[in-house]
Amino acid sequence: MAARELTLSGAPILMYHGLGASVPAEVRGRESKYWVTPAAFARHLAQIREAGQRVRRLYDYWSGEPDATENQSAVVLTFDDGRATDYEIAFPLLLAAGARAEFFVNTATIERSGHLTWSQIVEMHRAGMSFQSHAHDHVLLPGLPERLLRNELQTSKRLIEDRVGRGVDFLAAPYGLLDRRVIDVAREVGYQAVCNSLSWPARPGGVVVNRVAVYRETTAGRFAGILARQPAAYLPGVARTALTYLPKRVLLKVRPHQLGARLHLEGA
């Protein structure tokens, strides 16, 4: 009898950024790797369906039992940054596939060029999409003075809830960087959990929710492996995180702009 293939427990919480046939000129070089083509995203939706997986809302998965039937085949789709392409490209593709997604938005950029508008957000919400917090500004949260940190988390949560009329339960830390203080403050101001960017399946109920970044270079084969919870499909992302974590933390302290990161300074 053939040995049973090893698979990971949990579900893939997929993290997308912009969608576009080409990378816009204003997108920085380091960010271009996240710019997935519409054709690739449509293929991902088809692969999810063909694999017998079910796209679930993040809260529904997170609040469920790990061994529940609906969670064993769950996939969650998330988008960061609140780009205009969320409405122009992702939204119609999701509707056509009968799927829903979580959109983590920076409320300070809403209505700005290249980003979502409040009317688009309300339309998407009414069609079944969910909106969560990516903080008010797209800034580094660790190291912020507590007053500014609380303002970042509370302002975003309040503005989204006021506009869409539904609670905001999750925070996705900008740049995927967080620490215990960020997690504790997020919980204190009303978030259920905080999302990171560790490429590993997520388990329901965790205070920290792992998410798997989908890149422009992600092949159909690797995407299929992610859906199947195959360790080999996750290890490249884990290795990338491990190799870049310490250098990134150092650069963020001494040369944050080299990473395209933005600091929120006292009095800014």
Side-chain angles (χ1 to χ4, degrees):
M1 180 182 294
R4 182 179 178 182
E5 183 177 6
L6 175 65
T7 58
L8 302 171
S9 61
I13 312 297
L14 303 176
M15 177 176 63
Y16 293 88
H17 289 73
L19 297 184
S22 60
V23 181
E26 67 271 15
V27 174
R28 298 184 183 94
R30 290 180 179 274
E31 296 178 1
S32 62
K33 64 186 177 184
Y34 297 110
W35 210 261
V36 174
T37 66
F41 182 62
R43 184 178 68 242
H44 296 165
L45 293 172
Q47 286 184 259
I48 292 169
R49 182 180 65 253
E50 292 162 3
Q53 305 288 308
R54 180 186 176 192
V55 175
R56 301 203 74 202
R57 290 277 291 271
L58 179 55
Y59 184 84
D60 293 339
Y61 173 75
W62 181 85
S63 62
E65 294 296 326
D67 297 328
T69 301
E70 60 270 23
N71 271 356
Q72 291 179 0
S73 62
V75 176
V76 178
L77 305 174
T78 73
F79 287 80
D80 282 6
D81 301 339
R83 301 258 183 193
T85 60
D86 291 351
Y87 178 82
E88 297 163 354
I89 301 175
F91 183 39
L93 288 173
L94 289 164
L95 289 179
R100 296 183 291 182
E102 314 288 323
F103 294 87
F104 288 88
V105 297
N106 302 109
T107 43
T109 63
I110 295 171
E111 301 287 348
R112 291 184 186 175
S113 176
H115 292 81
L116 292 170
T117 67
W118 281 116
S119 64
Q120 291 169 340
I121 287 172
V122 170
E123 180 184 346
M124 293 168 71
H125 168 71
R126 288 175 176 168
M129 306 301 154
S130 174
F131 286 85
Q132 306 293 330
S133 173
H134 201 32
H136 183 56
D137 299 280
H138 199 282
V139 296
L140 294 168
L141 299 179
L144 278 183
E146 184 162 341
R147 180 181 65 81
L148 291 178
L149 176 59
R150 287 182 178 275
N151 182 66
E152 283 291 328
L153 305 189
Q154 290 176 324
T155 299
S156 177
K157 190 175 193 299
R158 173 179 53 80
L159 288 175
I160 298 170
E161 290 177 342
D162 287 349
R163 290 285 187 154
V164 305
R166 183 165 181 164
V168 172
D169 298 302
F170 300 96
L171 166 73
Y175 310 105
L177 294 174
L178 52 90
D179 57 18
R180 173 50 59 184
R181 189 174 67 106
V182 172
I183 296 169
D184 289 345
V185 172
R187 297 273 287 176
E188 288 173 14
V189 302
Y191 293 94
Q192 299 283 348
V194 180
C195 300
N196 64 17
S197 55
L198 177 64
S199 182
W200 203 254
R203 299 279 291 174
V207 174
V208 177
V209 178
N210 298 330
R211 291 193 298 163
V212 184
V214 181
Y215 300 101
R216 194 174 187 85
E217 66 188 28
T218 300
T219 65
R222 186 180 172 218
F223 191 82
I226 290 171
L227 295 181
R229 284 74 161 168
Q230 295 172 355
Y234 288 85
L235 291 177
V238 172
R240 186 194 304 236
T241 299
L243 289 172
T244 61
Y245 180 78
L246 286 178
K248 182 185 290 186
R249 296 295 296 216
V250 171
L251 278 176
L252 286 172
K253 285 183 177 295
V254 299
R255 296 180 181 175
H257 298 295
Q258 191 169 328
L259 289 176
R262 191 160 66 90
L263 299 174
H264 194 312
L265 301 178
E266 184 72 46

